């Protein structure tokens, strides 16, 4: 198999998908395989290191990043179902090694082959449509890191348009932060609550019955708030990859598995 | 300057519960964001101008010593007097000495954040000199005994009805039945009251948006014309500015001016752009007899050559706070510093110490919207992160948080242990949350579950399920 036609792709699962929402990982694998990739999930991965990096613990962030460089060295591409982790790997890992000539070249090479899932499918693999259907009216939240660090905006919308039965409606301020911000949401929970409260209102105002985004952190934050505010019955929440892969049989985020939810 | 950065969390809770403030903050979002975008979209070369503006300031900062010398030489040649001030106290005493020498009774003031930074009004009042703010927003703030909550819209936290009440309370010489329903009538009344003060003023104090090295000129941009009256009518004009206001040439500043008003208010240009070069010359129809410039350092020179140098490019347009979700939520006063919002989160720790202002660079979601609209392309989130690094190095972050982080780091650097721990943890958590699919309360997760439910994990981790997947 030629590398260009069938590249070897390592899935960077991300810790939240790994722990909370494995279905997103399986959806990512399915989409990557549909895009002609040979997918592997290296067992040596843990987390992208953002909790340490954004808390000022550069030494730990570097230790984690060094492991990441080793673990993913052999692959043609590294793909993460998250703009936030993708941004960390693509933009900030090279920053961590900027003053280390030995590692800087490796870090830059790693960054160059690392992508967020949906933008990888469209921009690198040229995917134009998906083979999926879901009867729903969805609204899409642009997660900050994906939008501003990686330029992800039109890619998920383009693929969602090809999902049979799905219609997209835009919320007001879809580019405004949901208030998650990693540890911010617990360190400054009162402020985070104000921000996610506004977001929940914007989502509810669309009349959509499905909220989609590309990042588990934001999704858990928004789902939790929608449910707390009583919108949970009307508005279901999913990672965009599940819809694109046609894997929406399982329960939406924050809902019990009753077998026949959707 | 007032500094309540240490109680940021308490300030924020209070602000979130302040209904009037919340209504006013909604006006910030409605008033600034769309206008900036429209102005930027109207100008195809906007991003190129931002890059030019960044490069001009980077060049200036790299050669700041040379441009400071050139500025001093040209200012002196034009008849101006330059005073260097290492800190707030030195800056204040220059102003107070001039007041004393000429026996000044009133000082009119144009809008100046440096004046706020050095606490000038309090010092003047204590010396028996009456400081009169002439910018409408600053005037309102002064009447209310408050501090600015925004660097270009100091009274943005005040509602129109509150201003009307303040005017009726203070302007008791005017007819009580007058109509003050419209913003225009409030503006007209402030103008009429201030006109008299301009004429009686002994000294005019302004800030500076830019200082031009090649000509020794100071520039202010305003929308109300009060700056011009402040600096041309009194006998003495004092400019107070910080060292990073320097720009090499008039050509350079004309490029930066093209991004300033667009980023700030969405105007193509501010209504008044006023250049001052020295005192009145023989034959000039107006202008002050004495022209002083106080150049304030106050910790800025220590930012040169550090990871915070880029912050010295800031031209104080306010776009970062206008677009900040945290600023929208809590307003400017909660930050407890003269400089609120993202630019303040970087600048305040530089000026007053990260030990006092540590909350500010932490209270950010790193959403990056500030950087995306900054006309000077300042990497604000990156520099907030650098402050977090300084905090971490000095063990200033909370002990419980550091302990949690080191436990997490222990596992995150040991994949085998990490997968074992997450596998067991998620099995337990998944089982506990199975019936509802989420938690309304969970031990150790109170910060999350106070306001929102926590989705329960599926039970098996992805890694565990992947290892057991049916192979083809």
């Amino acid at each position: 198999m030629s590398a260009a036609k069938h590249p070897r792709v390592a899935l960077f699962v991300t810790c939240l998908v790994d722990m909370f929402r494995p279905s997103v990982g399986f959806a990512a694998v399915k989409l990557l395989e549909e895009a002609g990739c040979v997918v592997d999930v290296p067992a040596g991965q843990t987390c992208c290191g953002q909790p340490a990096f954004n808390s000022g613990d550069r030494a730990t962030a570097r230790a984690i990043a060094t492991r990441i460089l080793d673990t993913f060295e052999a692959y043609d591409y590294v793909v993460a179902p998250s703009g936030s982790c993708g941004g960390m790997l693509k933009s900030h890992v090279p920053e961590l090694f900027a003053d280390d000539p030995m590692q800087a070249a490796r870090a830059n090479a790693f960054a160059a082959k690392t992508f967020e899932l949906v933008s990888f499918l469209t921009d690198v693999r040229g995917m134009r449509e998906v083979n999926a259907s879901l009867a729903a009216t969805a609204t899409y939240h642009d997660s900050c890191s994906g939008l501003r660090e990686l330029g992800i905006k039109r890619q998920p919308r383009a693929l969602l348009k090809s999902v049979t039965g799905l219609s997209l409606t835009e919320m007001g301020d879809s580019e405004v932060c949901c208030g998650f911000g990693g540890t911010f949401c617990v360190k400054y929970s009162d402020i985070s609550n104000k921000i996610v409260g506004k977001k929940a209102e914007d989502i509810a105002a669309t009349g959509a019955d499905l909220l989609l985004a590309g990042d588990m952190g934001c999704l858990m934050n928004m789902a939790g708030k929608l449910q707390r505010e009583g919108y949970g019955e009307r508005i279901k929440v999913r990672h965009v990859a599940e819809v694109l892969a046609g894997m929406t049989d399982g329960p939406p985020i924050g809902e019990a598995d009753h077998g026949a939810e959707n | 300057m007032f500094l309540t950065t240490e109680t940021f969390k308490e300030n924020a809770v209070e602000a979130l519960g302040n209904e009037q403030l919340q209504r006013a903050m909604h006006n910030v979002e409605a008033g600034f964001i769309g206008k900036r975008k429209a102005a930027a979209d109207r100008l195809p070369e906007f991003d190129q101008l931002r890059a030019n503006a960044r490069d001009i300031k980077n060049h200036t900062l790299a050669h700041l010593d040379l441009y400071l010398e050139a500025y001093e030489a040209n200012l002196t040649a034009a008849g101006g007097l330059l005073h260097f001030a290492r800190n707030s106290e030195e800056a204040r005493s220059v102003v107070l000495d001039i007041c004393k020498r000429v026996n000044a009774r009133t000082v009119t003031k144009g809008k100046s954040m440096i004046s706020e930074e050095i606490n000038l009004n309090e010092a003047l009042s204590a010396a028996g000199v009456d400081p009169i703010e002439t910018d409408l927003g600053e005037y309102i703030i002064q009447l209310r005994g408050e501090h600015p909550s925004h660097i270009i819209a100091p009274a943005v936290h005040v509602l129109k009805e509150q201003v009307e009440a303040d005017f009726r309370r203070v302007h008791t010489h005017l007819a009580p039945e007058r109509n003050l329903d419209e913003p225009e009538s409030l503006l007209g009344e402030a103008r009429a009251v201030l006109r008299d003060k301009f004429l009686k003023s002994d000294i005019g104090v302004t800030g500076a948006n830019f200082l031009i090295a090649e000509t020794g000129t100071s520039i202010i941009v305003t929308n109300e014309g009060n700056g011009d009256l402040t600096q041309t009518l009194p006998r003495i004009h004092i400019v107070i500015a910080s060292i990073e206001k320097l720009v090499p040439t008039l050509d350079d500043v004309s490029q930066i001016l093209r991004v300033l008003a667009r980023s700030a208010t969405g105007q193509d240009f501010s209504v008044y752009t006023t250049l001052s070069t020295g005192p009145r010359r023989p034959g000039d129809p107006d202008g002050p007899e004495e022209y002083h410039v106080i150049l304030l350092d106050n910790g800025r020179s220590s930012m040169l050559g550090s990871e915070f140098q880029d912050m010295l490019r800031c031209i104080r347009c306010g776009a970062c706070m206008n677009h900040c979700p945290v600023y929208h939520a809590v307003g400017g006063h909660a930050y407890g510093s003269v400089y609120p919002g993202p630019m303040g989160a970087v600048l305040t720790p530089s000026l007053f110490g990260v030990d006092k202002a540590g909350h500010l660079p932490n209270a950010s979601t790193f959403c990056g919207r500030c950087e995306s609209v900054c006309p000077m392309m300042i990497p604000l989130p990156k520099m907030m992160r650098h402050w977090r690094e300084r905090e971490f190095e000095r063990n200033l972050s909370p002990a419980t948080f550091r302990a949690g982080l080191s436990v997490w780091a222990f596992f995150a650097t040991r994949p085998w242990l990490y997968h074992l721990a997450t596998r067991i943890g998620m099995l337990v958590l998944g089982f506990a949350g199975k019936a509802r699919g989420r938690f309304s309360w969970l031990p150790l997760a109170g910060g999350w579950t106070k306001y929102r439910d926590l989705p329960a994990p599926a039970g098996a981790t992805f890694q565990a399920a992947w290892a057991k997947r049916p192979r083809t």
Side-chain angles (χ1 to χ4, degrees):
Chain A
M1 286 195 294
S2 76
K5 263 195 163 168
H6 301 286
R8 284 193 67 212
V9 172
L11 181 69
F12 189 93
V13 182
T14 79
C15 51
L16 289 178
V17 166
D18 183 40
M19 290 192 281
F20 282 87
R21 195 88 181 152
S23 56
V24 175
F26 285 104
V29 172
K30 180 169 182 249
L31 287 164
L32 288 167
E33 286 178 348
E34 282 171 2
C37 306
V38 179
V39 183
D40 195 8
V41 182
Q45 60 180 305
T46 58
C47 163
C48 69
Q50 260 193 103
F53 184 60
N54 286 341
S55 302
D57 183 358
R58 228 177 151 85
T60 299
R62 267 174 83 129
I64 293 171
T66 305
R67 290 201 64 93
I68 290 173
L69 295 185
D70 294 341
T71 307
F72 292 91
E73 184 120 58
Y75 297 93
D76 297 325
Y77 294 106
V78 181
V79 174
S82 156
S84 176
C85 312
M88 175 71 201
L89 299 175
K90 205 168 175 64
S91 309
H92 300 304
V93 164
E95 205 180 307
L96 281 170
F97 298 106
D99 58 352
D100 180 347
M102 296 295 284
Q103 294 281 35
R106 285 182 76 205
N108 289 332
F110 169 80
K113 68 177 184 183
T114 299
F115 294 88
E116 177 277 338
L117 173 70
V118 181
S119 54
F120 176 77
L121 294 173
T122 57
D123 302 352
V124 179
R125 299 304 296 165
M127 190 182 268
R128 296 280 170 81
E129 53 185 31
V130 292
N131 182 19
S133 66
L134 182 67
T137 304
T139 190
Y140 188 88
H141 164 71
D142 296 289
S143 292
C144 299
S145 304
L147 175 71
R148 282 181 270 270
E149 289 184 347
L150 304 174
I152 297 162
K153 172 86 186 173
R154 61 186 163 74
Q155 301 92 327
R157 288 174 175 79
L159 290 185
L160 284 169
K161 273 188 188 140
S162 70
V163 175
T164 311
L166 189 82
S167 64
L168 263 179
T169 174
E170 292 291 335
M171 69 177 89
D173 286 339
S174 72
E175 295 187 359
V176 172
C177 180
C178 73
F180 172 62
T183 56
F184 172 87
C185 72
V186 289
K187 278 201 290 187
Y188 298 94
S189 58
D190 301 300
I191 302 173
S192 174
N193 174 52
K194 172 78 184 177
I195 301 173
V196 72
K198 267 197 229 177
K199 179 59 72 176
E201 296 303 323
D202 281 333
I203 294 162
T206 61
D209 51 31
L210 180 64
L211 168 68
L212 299 174
D215 274 272
M216 275 311 293
C218 318
L219 284 163
M220 288 170 66
N221 181 40
M222 293 184 291
K225 188 64 184 173
L226 286 167
Q227 284 153 354
R228 180 65 59 92
E229 297 300 320
Y231 294 118
E233 282 304 307
R234 171 157 75 83
I235 306 168
K236 307 299 172 191
V237 183
R238 288 188 183 279
H239 191 286
V240 65
E242 298 171 38
V243 173
L244 295 178
M247 293 168 69
T248 49
D249 293 338
I253 293 170
E255 306 234 343
D257 191 355
H258 299 308
E261 199 78 28
N262 260 8
Chain B
M1 76 159 264
F2 75 115
L3 199 68
T4 60
T5 49
E6 287 171 279
T7 55
F8 172 80
K9 272 195 174 180
E10 291 79 4
N11 304 349
V13 170
E14 202 183 312
L16 287 163
N18 181 337
E19 201 238 325
Q20 275 182 329
L21 173 70
Q22 292 298 325
R23 268 167 59 209
M25 294 319 292
H26 184 74
N27 297 339
V28 173
E29 287 180 79
F32 285 107
I33 294 173
K35 286 180 191 159
R36 189 212 78 97
K37 187 174 183 318
D41 289 349
R42 278 198 302 273
L43 192 68
E45 66 269 38
F46 187 69
D47 280 338
Q48 184 56 52
L49 281 169
R50 288 171 72 205
N52 290 3
R54 174 199 61 199
D55 295 346
I56 288 165
K57 275 279 193 173
N58 277 350
H59 168 85
T60 315
L61 292 169
H63 306 284
L64 193 59
D65 50 344
L66 298 177
Y67 287 116
L68 279 169
E69 284 179 5
Y71 173 72
E72 180 177 25
N74 292 318
L75 170 76
T76 310
L81 285 165
L82 185 64
H83 311 263
F84 284 100
R86 280 171 295 189
N87 51 43
S88 300
E89 197 190 338
E90 289 186 4
R92 285 193 302 262
S93 64
V94 174
V95 179
L96 293 176
D97 286 350
I98 297 171
C99 288
K100 207 168 171 187
R101 174 167 59 79
V102 301
N103 199 21
R105 310 292 290 275
T106 61
V107 168
T108 38
K109 296 181 66 208
K111 203 180 118 33
S112 158
M113 292 309 293
I114 297 295
S115 158
E116 298 289 337
E117 182 180 327
I118 66 172
N119 255 348
L120 184 58
N121 286 3
E122 286 79 352
L124 286 170
S125 297
V129 182
D130 195 11
I132 295 153
E133 296 289 352
T134 66
D135 171 270
L136 178 60
E138 290 282 353
Y139 180 67
I140 293 166
I141 296 301
Q142 193 178 23
L143 293 187
R144 297 172 62 82
E146 293 181 339
H147 293 279
S149 70
H150 188 291
I151 59 171
I152 68 159
V156 76
H157 61 286
V158 186
L159 294 169
K160 187 168 68 70
E161 301 75 55
Q162 295 173 289
V163 177
E164 180 182 341
D166 289 326
F167 278 18
R168 290 193 189 281
R169 174 174 57 81
V170 178
H171 302 158
T172 47
H173 61 291
L174 297 172
E177 66 277 8
R178 68 194 187 279
N179 187 330
L180 289 176
D181 288 349
E182 296 306 313
E184 289 75 22
S185 49
L186 293 169
L187 182 64
E189 178 162 319
R191 276 214 167 134
V193 170
L194 285 169
R195 190 57 50 121
D196 187 45
K197 314 260 186 189
F198 280 123
L199 295 169
K200 288 184 183 150
S201 167
D202 301 305
I203 296 176
V205 172
T206 68
N209 291 88
F210 302 98
L211 302 172
I212 312 303
E214 70 168 346
T215 56
T217 302
S218 60
I219 297 183
I220 55 169
V221 299
T222 66
N223 279 323
E224 297 163 20
N226 63 306
D228 294 54
L229 294 174
T230 301
Q231 65 183 36
T232 47
L233 289 178
R235 221 157 59 68
I236 297 173
H237 177 201
I238 303 174
V239 178
I240 45 176
S242 48
I243 54 171
E244 81 275 25
K245 300 288 175 187
L246 268 170
V247 171
T249 69
L250 287 168
D251 275 349
D252 292 326
V253 83
S254 61
Q255 297 207 54
I256 302 177
L257 282 168
R258 294 187 71 194
V259 295
L260 173 57
R262 287 183 169 90
S263 302
T265 54
Q267 293 164 286
D268 290 346
F269 232 65
S270 302
V271 178
Y272 298 89
T273 300
T274 310
L275 290 76
S276 306
T277 313
R280 179 197 300 214
R281 294 161 300 188
D284 279 354
D286 56 16
E289 289 166 26
E290 292 178 28
Y291 174 81
H292 299 263
V293 177
I294 302 169
L295 258 184
L296 176 72
D297 181 356
N298 223 14
R300 288 168 176 80
S301 57
S302 66
M303 295 164 73
L304 287 166
S306 80
E307 64 264 57
F308 303 108
Q309 176 167 318
D310 289 345
M311 190 59 222
L312 296 175
R313 291 205 298 265
C314 176
I315 55 174
R316 308 290 190 268
C317 70
C320 58
M321 56 199 77
N322 292 342
H323 290 76
C324 176
V326 175
Y327 181 90
H328 294 159
V330 301
H333 285 157
Y335 290 83
S337 157
V338 167
Y339 302 106
M343 59 77 66
V346 178
L347 192 59
T348 304
S350 305
L351 303 183
F352 305 103
V354 73
D355 50 333
K356 290 195 180 64
H359 271 304
L360 273 44
N362 276 286
S364 163
T365 65
F366 280 165
C367 80
R369 209 176 175 204
C370 50
E371 181 177 357
S372 74
V373 296
C374 174
M376 305 306 286
M377 297 181 161
I378 300 170
L380 290 157
K382 183 176 170 177
M383 285 188 291
M384 287 182 224
R385 193 181 291 112
H386 285 320
W387 276 124
R388 298 182 190 186
E389 285 161 9
R390 293 271 181 105
E391 253 196 324
F392 191 83
E393 283 162 14
R394 290 173 55 189
N395 287 323
L396 293 172
S397 28
T400 46
F401 181 72
R402 297 173 69 85
L405 194 64
S406 67
V407 170
W408 168 84
F410 178 85
F411 285 100
T413 48
R414 290 165 180 80
W416 185 83
L417 265 179
Y418 177 91
H419 291 306
L420 183 69
T422 52
R423 210 171 276 209
I424 296 167
M426 292 310 119
L427 269 179
V428 174
L429 212 53
F431 182 77
K434 200 173 169 58
R436 261 189 90 217
R438 57 180 183 269
F439 303 97
S440 305
W441 180 85
L442 200 65
L444 302 176
W448 181 284
T449 55
K450 183 177 176 191
Y451 294 116
R452 38 177 124 50
D453 292 351
L454 178 70
T461 65
F462 175 80
Q463 290 281 6
W466 179 255
K468 280 198 226 153
R469 76 192 182 284
R471 316 257 176 161
T472 46

